[in-house]
Amino acid sequence: MTRKNTWARLAATVVLSLPLTACKDTKTLQENEQLKAQVAELQKENGQLGNDLESMTAARDALTKENEGLKAEIKASKTKSPGTKVASRKRRRR
């Protein structure tokens, strides 16, 4: 008699566990699809950020060159001016 109960319990357990397992699989599949969508979105954002980084780097390099050119112009204009000032002729009061 105990053997029949044991087999009955085992069969009931198996029958009840199948829908739960299927439910878990469905939830897992849904979560997996959501995660795949999130990964795809993050990869897209990563690509955009990479492009932004490249354009900002190019802009920075251009600004650095322009800055160096302006510094060279400032140095050139400073060296062109005479080093000593010519004394101006003023009338002095006596």
Side-chain angles (χ1 to χ4, degrees):
M1 194 112 30
T2 57
R3 286 186 182 181
K4 288 182 182 179
N5 286 340
T6 304
W7 284 108
R9 286 183 186 173
L10 181 63
T13 305
V14 169
V15 169
L16 292 175
S17 65
L18 287 176
L20 293 175
T21 305
C23 182
K24 285 184 180 179
D25 287 342
T26 304
K27 287 181 183 179
T28 303
L29 289 174
Q30 288 174 349
E31 289 175 2
N32 194 15
E33 291 300 320
Q34 288 174 350
L35 290 174
K36 284 181 182 178
Q38 287 176 352
V39 166
E41 183 66 27
L42 289 173
Q43 287 175 340
K44 181 181 175 184
E45 288 177 15
N46 190 23
Q48 290 174 348
L49 291 174
N51 292 338
D52 292 345
L53 178 64
E54 288 177 9
S55 64
M56 286 184 190
T57 302
R60 183 201 65 202
D61 293 343
L63 288 173
T64 302
K65 285 182 181 179
E66 183 181 354
N67 193 18
E68 289 172 358
L70 291 173
K71 284 181 180 179
E73 284 181 26
I74 290 172
K75 278 187 177 181
S77 68
K78 283 184 179 179
T79 56
K80 286 182 184 177
S81 63
T84 59
K85 290 186 178 180
V86 176
S88 62
R89 297 182 184 174
K90 291 186 181 178
R91 291 187 175 174
R92 296 186 183 195
R93 292 186 187 170
R94 295 186 184 199

